[in-house]
């Protein structure tokens, strides 16, 4: 019984710790990152992809879930709008990473590019859709993809450095 | 690094299971929030987050000023700022004069007189913005304690533009408020195009509904314009204040007429009417200081 309680409290602490980290990531993305091409780097999504590639556990899913909820609160969107696209991206990342070597930086770029497309699609669909997909592609998707692709490798290297020092899930 | 499954001997079903659980929770949250069941929770988060977001925004602006201090204090940069301020004044004056001419025609008809631009305003700092393209809103550091109410128009200017409408107060707490930017798809306001007929020299003002288009891949679009209306690219667009004139009780009735919005960039047929693409004078998300129109003299 004590063992089960301890395991439960450890799990709760784990989620709280990653929820805090994801909250800080979302706040940093929203309030500290400079705008480029009228958008900012999607730190939450890229962190989710990179953690999934590096650690092969639930870290990526927790970052996109808790980070997405905070983004929804900051963006005044319906809760879940910023989460669903991120979780689909993490699921794809797990599937691809099981089959391919993850030490290829092109894979990071490919997954971040795909994730940006999925995430932006999920957001536009869940917030009402559009009748002007060409305009959406040029004004929303293309700048978001460019900014995320530019940021992907530096973020990957930073988290890789962190992961090498503290690989355990804690 | 090796392959995901080789690198980690742990069972990959666990992350998949957690992923599934989190996805289910996200879908349930989405469903509940769509029904409004989570409003009491989400409404309380803005005041809770306000001190943090204010501090982070101040940090970002501090860094920006510091960098500006390093790179932007030359005489040339200061002269540039002064000239931009002068251009703002001149454009305000020009628009006020032209819109006054239009209103004079209306006033003569209604035998009334109202002072042009008699806005009662309070200033506010932008302390928050949305993280991506999903919504176009900003958070300001004034709330119901300062007399703000939903529907109040918010104006600002950037780099030599006239004072222009950037959005309407959307939600209000004691100390903060969110402003729904005019470029957001949820924003619909009545407006008119200020056009001078080159042949007769008379000022015309075709009306229409101005809809935000950002999430749909554009800026602003004016619809329901009379098909016979005469106007051209580069004409100025201002608020019509129709709800206010009709005495409606709706929040939109707080928008006075003749607040500049932007310029026509193209026009095309739209069913039985005309449609105009409008570019705001500046990106409303760029502003750091705003004026809320709380009343009109």
């Amino acid at each position: 019984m004590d063992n089960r309680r301890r395991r439960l409290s450890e799990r709760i602490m784990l989620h709280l710790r990653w929820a805090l980290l994801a909250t800080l990531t979302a706040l940093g993305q929203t309030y500290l990152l400079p705008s480029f091409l009228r958008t900012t780097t999607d730190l939450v999504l890229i962190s989710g992809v990179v953690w999934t590639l590096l650690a092969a556990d639930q870290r990526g899913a927790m970052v996109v879930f808790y980070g997405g909820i905070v983004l929804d609160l900051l963006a005044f969107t319906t809760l879940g709008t910023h989460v669903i696209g991120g979780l689909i991206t993490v699921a794809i990342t797990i599937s691809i990473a099981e089959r391919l070597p993850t030490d290829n930086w092109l894979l990071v770029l490919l997954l971040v590019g795909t994730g940006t497309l999925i995430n932006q699609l999920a957001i536009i669909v869940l917030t009402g859709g559009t009748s002007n997909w060409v305009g959406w592609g040029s004004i929303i998707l293309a700048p978001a993809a460019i900014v995320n692709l530019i940021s992907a490798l530096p973020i990957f290297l930073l988290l890789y450095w962190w992961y090498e020092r503290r690989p355990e899930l804690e | 690094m090796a392959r995901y499954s080789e690198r980690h001997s742990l069972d990959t079903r666990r992350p998949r299971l957690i992923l599934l659980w989190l996805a289910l929770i996200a879908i349930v949250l989405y469903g509940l929030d769509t029904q409004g069941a989570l409003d009491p929770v989400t409404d309380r988060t803005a005041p809770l987050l306000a001190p943090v977001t204010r501090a982070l925004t101040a940090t970002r602006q501090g860094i920006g000023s510091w960098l500006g201090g390093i790179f932007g204090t030359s005489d040339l940069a200061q002269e540039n700022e002064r000239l931009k301020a002068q251009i703002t004044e001149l454009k305000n004056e020009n628009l006020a004069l032209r819109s006054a001419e239009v209103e004079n025609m209306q006033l003569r008809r209604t035998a009334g007189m109202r002072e042009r631009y008699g806005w009662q305003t309070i200033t506010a700092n932008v302390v928050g913005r949305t993280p991506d393209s999903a919504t176009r809103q900003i958070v300001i550091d004034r709330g119901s304690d300062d007399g703000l109410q939903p529907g109040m128009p918010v104006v600002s200017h950037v780099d030599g533009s006239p004072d222009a409408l950037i959005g309407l107060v959307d939600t209000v707490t004691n100390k903060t408020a969110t402003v729904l930017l005019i470029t957001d798809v949820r924003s619909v306001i009545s407006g008119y195009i200020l056009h001078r007929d080159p042949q007769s020299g008379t000022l015309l003002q075709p009306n229409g509904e101005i809809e935000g288009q950002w999430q749909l891949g554009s800026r602003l679009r004016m619809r329901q314009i009379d098909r016979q209306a005469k106007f051209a690219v580069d004409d100025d667009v201002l608020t019509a204040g129709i709800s206010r004139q009709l005495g409606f009780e709706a929040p939109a009735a707080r928008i006075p007429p003749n607040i500049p919005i932007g310029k026509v960039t193209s026009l095309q047929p739209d069913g039985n009417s005309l449609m105009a693409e409008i570019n705001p004078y500046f990106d409303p998300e760029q502003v750091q200081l705003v004026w809320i129109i709380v009343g009109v003299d």
Side-chain angles (χ1 to χ4, degrees):
Chain A
M1 190 67 181
D2 279 349
N3 198 26
R4 274 177 61 188
R5 263 191 203 158
R6 198 171 61 243
R7 275 202 343 230
L8 182 67
S9 72
E10 279 171 2
R11 273 185 202 171
I12 290 169
M13 284 308 293
L14 178 77
H15 276 263
L16 284 176
R17 216 171 283 140
W18 282 87
L20 180 66
L21 184 71
T23 301
L24 293 175
T25 307
L27 285 169
Q29 171 182 328
T30 308
Y31 293 105
L32 292 180
L33 287 188
S35 291
F36 176 60
L37 298 175
R38 292 188 177 178
T39 188
T40 49
T41 301
D42 196 338
L43 265 185
V44 170
L45 179 77
I46 299 174
S47 304
V49 170
V50 172
W51 274 123
T52 307
L53 279 176
L54 289 174
D57 55 26
Q58 61 264 46
R59 275 175 258 207
M62 287 194 289
V63 167
V64 295
F65 179 78
Y66 293 116
I69 295 284
V70 176
L71 288 180
D72 282 327
L73 290 171
L74 296 174
F76 316 100
T77 45
T78 308
L79 288 184
T81 305
H82 284 83
V83 178
I84 292 166
L87 288 176
I88 294 171
T89 304
V90 168
I92 291 171
T93 306
I94 290 175
S95 301
I96 289 179
E98 275 179 335
R99 291 163 179 79
L100 296 171
T102 54
D103 54 356
N104 185 344
W105 58 269
L106 273 174
L107 186 63
V108 178
L109 293 181
L110 178 75
L111 286 167
V112 167
T114 310
T116 304
L117 172 67
I118 292 167
N119 203 34
Q120 292 294 337
L121 263 177
I123 289 169
I124 189 71
V125 169
L126 293 174
T127 52
T130 176
S131 55
N132 182 2
W133 288 101
V134 176
W136 169 80
S138 60
I139 292 183
I140 309 283
L141 180 63
I146 291 167
V147 169
N148 283 350
L149 288 172
I150 290 170
S151 315
L153 290 180
I155 293 170
F156 177 78
L157 291 173
L158 182 73
L159 294 184
Y160 181 74
W161 173 81
W162 183 1
Y163 176 71
E164 287 290 296
R165 272 146 193 81
R166 302 185 72 173
E168 297 307 316
L169 177 61
E170 54 182 26
Chain B
M1 279 186 290
R3 279 186 194 185
Y4 184 102
S5 49
E6 290 166 2
R7 233 172 340 121
H8 301 272
S9 56
L10 80 172
D11 189 351
T12 57
R13 277 179 303 179
R14 181 158 180 75
R16 283 180 192 281
L17 193 66
I18 287 174
L19 194 69
L20 191 67
W21 271 113
L22 293 178
L24 278 173
I25 294 168
I27 290 165
V28 169
L29 284 175
Y30 183 81
L32 288 173
D33 205 16
T34 306
Q35 302 298 318
L38 298 175
D39 284 354
V41 180
T42 53
D43 288 351
R44 287 198 180 105
T45 52
L48 283 175
L49 287 171
V52 180
T53 59
R54 197 178 294 136
L56 288 171
T57 304
T59 305
R60 182 164 53 91
Q61 288 171 351
I63 293 169
S65 301
W66 180 69
L67 290 173
I70 293 172
F71 300 111
T73 52
S74 67
D75 290 345
L76 200 61
Q78 286 178 7
E79 178 67 6
N80 194 20
E81 285 302 310
R82 194 184 62 75
L83 288 171
K84 280 176 180 172
Q86 214 169 19
I87 291 169
T88 296
E89 282 305 308
L90 289 170
K91 283 189 176 171
N92 279 340
E93 205 173 309
N94 184 291
L95 272 170
L97 283 171
R98 284 198 288 153
S99 57
E101 194 179 333
V102 168
E103 188 162 338
N104 280 340
M105 293 191 302
Q106 293 173 339
L107 291 173
R108 275 197 296 274
R109 281 199 296 272
T110 55
M113 190 75 183
R114 228 164 75 193
E115 194 180 341
R116 168 82 5 241
Y117 284 174
W119 303 336
Q120 297 162 7
T121 60
I122 55 173
T123 56
N125 293 299
V126 177
V127 294
R129 56 184 178 146
T130 47
D132 55 27
S133 53
T135 56
R136 303 311 262 186
Q137 285 191 316
I138 53 173
V139 184
I140 54 174
D141 63 352
R142 298 276 194 167
S144 55
D145 287 355
D146 305 289
L148 263 62
Q149 290 175 18
M152 286 179 168
V154 181
V155 297
S156 188
H157 70 259
V158 170
D159 288 349
S161 73
D163 292 320
L165 183 75
I166 64 158
L168 303 180
V169 173
D170 191 29
T171 58
V172 182
T173 65
N174 290 351
K175 304 283 181 198
T176 64
T178 60
V179 177
L180 181 69
L181 299 180
I182 51 171
T183 46
D184 190 283
V185 282
R186 288 183 293 149
S187 167
V188 181
I189 47 176
S190 61
Y192 73 89
I193 299 168
L194 196 57
H195 177 72
R196 186 181 290 279
D197 188 351
Q199 289 166 348
S200 64
T202 53
L203 276 169
L204 307 168
Q205 47 174 152
N207 284 296
E209 281 183 351
I210 300 167
E211 302 167 353
Q213 295 285 307
W214 180 269
Q215 293 93 328
L216 308 182
S218 184
R219 303 288 190 274
L220 293 169
R221 183 171 288 170
M222 191 169 185
R223 307 184 87 154
Q224 309 293 330
I225 309 169
D226 189 335
R227 203 176 174 84
Q228 307 301 320
K230 286 182 182 174
F231 61 99
V233 168
D234 223 30
D235 281 346
D236 290 295
V237 180
L238 299 92
T239 58
I242 288 174
S243 303
R244 187 187 189 88
Q245 286 169 355
L246 293 174
F248 287 166
E249 291 297 318
R254 296 197 170 92
I255 310 171
N258 305 325
I259 307 177
I261 294 174
K263 281 182 177 288
V264 174
T265 56
S266 69
L267 54 151
Q268 61 191 77
D270 180 29
N272 292 325
S273 55
L274 288 175
M275 179 173 74
E277 295 287 340
I278 298 162
N279 219 7
Y281 292 109
F282 51 88
D283 180 0
E285 284 218 343
Q286 288 180 21
V287 300
Q288 294 180 356
L289 188 66
V290 298
W291 288 260
I292 303 107
I293 301 176
V294 293
V296 180
D297 291 335

